[in-house]
Amino acid sequence: MNFFMPADLKSVQDRYKKGDRVAGFTLGVYYQEGICVKQDEERASSIYVDLAEKGHWGSKGVCHRFGYGPYLKSKEKAVECFRKGVEEEDEVSLFGLGECYLKGTGVDKDEVRAVALLSQAADKGFAPAIVYLAICYLEGTGVDKDEVKAVALLSQAADKGDAPAIFALAACYMEGKGVDKDEVRAVALCSQAADKGFALAIGALGECYRDGRGVEKDEVKAIEYFKKAADMGDEYAISTLKDMGIAYTPCPAKQEQQLQQEE
């Protein structure tokens, strides 16, 4: 299993270089949240600012929300930008405004309105919106709770190769939410997300091998997975290794170093 060949990351990076704004935003999210790469808010900021300067309302909204680059940190200005993007049917802006309504950021909290916006973005195939919408169905936020619907949505995003969706789908199989409980299937899905360099999935595999869930117990493999997750900056994996009495200094992932050199 090759942990540091996240094909989707390379694909997203290539599309961003060719001017794909949605791919660029996705790359920004990867660095901001530490998805498939070690978390790097400075790099995320530079990507969002670049896109904002090119007229992308969704990215400009994010810049205002977090105060990136020359943009004043302002929840209200962020919402204003998202609204302008929504007028252009920008899926990133639909997602951004939906998240604002979901959390009450810069607007009065309105979970029903949030779901409506997330649904529009999901209909455009925007994977983060699909995952957020699935979580709404899992938890009954803004909609009637429907775990089967949530699994269907996560499967849709997982089919697009979205690592967080694949990992969330694995959790559904592990816990039996919306599907029959199947720990072996959960581990298989977790492995798919891990192959894309998703740190949470790599760490989760460590737990599976440590606890014998879906696989035979194997402490050596568990430690290997925890170390790989730690290399991606996963604080839980670092803490777990410490609790196991293992002194380990994380080092940058090889694939991430290669991508940095290519930028």
Side-chain angles (χ1 to χ4, degrees):
M1 187 178 294
N2 189 341
F3 287 92
F4 298 111
M5 289 296 289
D8 285 355
L9 175 60
K10 186 67 169 65
S11 173
V12 166
Q13 186 185 52
D14 289 343
R15 298 202 312 274
Y16 169 47
K17 289 180 179 179
K18 293 177 181 178
D20 186 326
R21 296 186 300 181
V22 174
F25 182 85
T26 300
L27 186 61
V29 172
Y30 281 2
Y31 280 111
Q32 186 180 23
E33 303 295 336
I35 298 173
C36 300
V37 292
K38 186 171 182 179
Q39 189 174 29
D40 187 338
E41 190 169 14
E42 183 177 347
R43 185 170 301 176
S45 172
S46 69
I47 293 171
Y48 291 135
V49 170
D50 173 57
L51 293 168
E53 294 299 300
K54 293 176 180 176
H56 185 229
W57 286 113
S59 296
K60 190 173 291 187
V62 171
C63 287
H64 276 301
R65 182 174 177 182
F66 296 99
Y68 290 151
Y71 296 91
L72 175 69
K73 186 174 183 178
S74 169
K75 297 175 183 177
E76 290 72 25
K77 284 188 177 295
V79 169
E80 181 181 336
C81 289
F82 289 142
R83 289 191 190 283
K84 290 181 178 178
V86 167
E87 291 176 3
E88 298 178 0
E89 299 185 351
D90 170 46
E91 53 264 66
V92 171
S93 297
L94 285 162
F95 169 70
L97 189 57
E99 185 180 15
C100 287
Y101 276 108
L102 191 65
K103 299 178 178 179
T105 303
V107 293
D108 291 334
K109 188 173 182 179
D110 186 337
E111 294 175 347
V112 173
R113 175 64 174 151
V115 168
L117 288 161
L118 291 172
S119 295
Q120 290 181 58
D123 287 344
K124 290 178 174 291
F126 192 50
I130 297 173
V131 174
Y132 262 61
L133 188 60
I135 293 172
C136 287
Y137 277 102
L138 275 174
E139 299 178 349
T141 303
V143 290
D144 291 334
K145 187 173 181 178
D146 188 337
E147 293 181 348
V148 173
K149 174 69 172 178
V151 168
L153 286 165
L154 290 174
S155 297
Q156 179 185 342
D159 288 343
K160 294 177 179 292
D162 184 70
I166 296 170
F167 179 62
L169 187 60
C172 288
Y173 276 99
M174 186 64 77
E175 303 301 329
K177 291 186 176 181
V179 290
D180 292 335
K181 186 172 181 177
D182 187 339
E183 293 185 350
V184 174
R185 174 63 174 156
V187 170
L189 286 164
C190 216
S191 295
Q192 289 181 37
D195 282 343
K196 295 176 180 295
F198 192 43
L200 290 178
I202 297 171
L205 282 175
E207 292 184 304
C208 289
Y209 277 100
R210 181 194 62 192
D211 302 334
R213 299 192 68 182
V215 290
E216 291 185 9
K217 282 189 178 182
D218 189 326
E219 187 172 335
V220 173
K221 281 190 176 181
I223 293 171
E224 177 185 349
Y225 283 111
F226 286 135
K227 286 182 176 179
K228 290 181 184 294
D231 288 343
M232 298 294 293
D234 183 12
E235 294 295 334
Y236 175 76
I238 295 171
S239 175
T240 298
L241 287 168
K242 184 177 180 180
D243 291 342
M244 295 173 73
I246 299 171
Y248 182 69
T249 302
C251 59
K254 294 179 181 178
Q255 178 71 4
E256 183 186 352
Q257 291 177 326
Q258 179 183 336
L259 289 172
Q260 289 177 5
Q261 293 170 0
E262 292 176 357
E263 290 185 345

